[in-house]
Amino acid sequence: MNFTHETLPQRVVFATGQAFERLPDEVARLGERPLVISTRAEEVLPGAARFREVAMHVPVEVAARARDAAEKHDVLVSVGGGSATGLAKAVALTTGLPIVAVPTTFAGSEATNVWGLTENGQKTTGSDPRVLPRTIVYDAALTRSLPDDLTVASGLNALAHCVDSMWAPRADPINQALALEGIRALRAGLPRHDLEGREQTLFGAYLAGVAFASAGSGLHHKICHVLGGMFNLPHAQTHAVVLPYVTALNISGVPPHIAEVLAGLSDLRDEVGAPRALRDYGFRETDIPAAVTAILPVVPPGNPVPVTAETLTELLHHAWAGEEPK
């Protein structure tokens, strides 16, 4: 073996049904003047200020307003999905304020040091230790408010973190092991609708985020970031649609034990009723050439199989139409 692995420092609290009871103590560890970033109706921290303008893909103008709102605060509390976490990260990127994240979806952003901002149809991403939430409070009961279709899409988004961690630029045996266990937990939990199933899915989403933070963005995420930024496609649904096509493309170039696990996911789409086609979310067939042009320069050099303009065109056409992955 010859590799270097970096583990990100973070406090992780699993507290099913107890998130808002545990939250005050966790916030008090980091600051006294919290700003809550959330669109949820609950009064998360009684008396705390709240910033409610949360938008998909974190537009730069929304991030600027959130930074202004945070000027008199010393800790950020994000409650919600990847958009709420992402906005808190955008504030932390320039202010250095610590984040306590309370995820209500399976996005996994709370476990990574990756940030993203969108301006003029282009999504820019990067990594920075300042944006890694200091504490995560996981409560599977909070995911019950997710509609069934978004639960599926969000869970498959987590699965995409695991899959990309198999071949991303910094993939190593440790994050591959985390990703494989994440796949096991997601595969077991996602088809279920009870609280125990949601706990398994949330556990898998955390492992997926940790693996992804270490391994970096692979081909799948490069494709989805372009699609989301250029065409304003919904984040989780886009990941759910694109994932099986990237998996089918790369499966011939990975070791047999990984290929076997990935092949075992082929029936999961039918089992959970996964989103099928990019055209269902506003992506047009005529958008494919522009997308290919934008994706090709950011394809990671270590992808398991070669990626060309023709490869991407075929992949996006199949994903646009919702055809069976080959």
Side-chain angles (χ1 to χ4, degrees):
M1 290 187 180
N2 185 9
F3 66 89
T4 300
H5 178 84
E6 185 171 346
T7 299
L8 301 178
Q10 194 172 57
R11 179 177 171 87
V12 180
V13 178
F14 273 81
T16 299
Q18 302 173 18
F20 296 148
E21 288 77 9
R22 299 284 294 274
L23 189 58
D25 287 342
E26 296 301 329
V27 171
R29 292 166 58 90
L30 299 170
E32 299 177 348
R33 300 182 304 278
L35 175 66
V36 177
I37 297 176
S38 180
T39 60
R40 291 178 69 91
E42 301 100 327
E43 187 174 11
V44 177
L45 287 171
R50 179 179 290 210
F51 187 85
R52 299 178 182 274
E53 187 185 359
V54 176
M56 187 171 60
H57 303 303
V58 193
V60 293
E61 59 274 15
V62 175
R65 289 191 285 271
R67 288 168 185 151
D68 290 341
E71 282 186 354
K72 296 181 180 180
H73 298 273
D74 58 6
V75 58
L76 305 171
V77 180
S78 65
V79 183
S83 295
T85 307
L87 182 56
K89 286 182 170 185
V91 176
L93 182 64
T94 57
T95 65
L97 292 178
I99 302 170
V100 177
V102 184
T104 61
T105 70
F106 309 115
S109 174
E110 68 281 351
T112 80
N113 60 349
V114 178
W115 57 268
L117 289 164
T118 302
E119 184 175 18
N120 298 325
Q122 182 173 356
K123 186 170 185 177
T124 302
T125 62
S127 60
D128 192 294
R130 291 175 294 181
V131 309
L132 178 72
R134 302 278 187 88
T135 301
I136 309 171
V137 180
Y138 283 117
D139 183 345
L142 295 179
T143 69
R144 284 174 159 169
S145 62
L146 275 178
D148 288 345
D149 58 341
L150 189 53
T151 294
V152 169
S154 184
L156 292 175
N157 180 20
L159 193 65
H161 289 133
C162 291
V163 172
D164 239 9
S165 297
M166 301 296 181
W167 47 63
R170 300 187 302 274
D172 64 45
I174 294 175
N175 50 52
Q176 286 177 350
L178 290 169
L180 288 170
E181 177 61 16
I183 289 174
R184 183 208 62 76
L186 289 163
R187 183 67 184 84
L190 195 54
R192 299 174 58 174
H193 299 285
D194 60 351
L195 192 58
E196 184 178 344
R198 289 182 175 275
E199 285 181 327
Q200 281 292 302
T201 305
L202 201 56
F203 175 62
Y206 167 69
L207 294 177
V210 172
F212 179 72
S214 176
S217 293
L219 177 63
H220 172 86
H221 278 77
K222 296 300 185 183
I223 291 173
C224 292
H225 285 165
V226 168
L227 296 178
M230 286 186 69
F231 307 105
N232 200 35
L233 303 187
H235 182 84
Q237 292 88 338
T238 301
H239 280 270
V241 170
V242 171
L243 178 61
Y245 300 99
V246 176
T247 302
L249 173 68
N250 279 345
I251 198 168
S252 65
V254 300
H257 72 286
I258 293 178
E260 182 179 0
V261 173
L262 298 182
L265 298 175
S266 60
D267 62 343
L268 184 60
R269 290 206 309 166
D270 292 332
E271 191 173 347
V272 300
R276 290 285 179 163
L278 291 177
R279 63 182 175 187
D280 295 338
Y281 301 99
F283 188 64
R284 301 169 300 182
E285 189 174 18
T286 54
D287 292 330
I288 293 176
V292 169
T293 299
I295 294 167
L296 201 56
V298 297
V299 171
N303 195 65
V305 301
V307 178
T308 65
E310 291 74 20
T311 302
L312 288 172
T313 298
E314 183 178 8
L315 186 154
L316 288 177
H317 192 276
H318 289 319
W320 167 81
E323 297 170 351
E324 195 66 24
K326 299 179 181 178

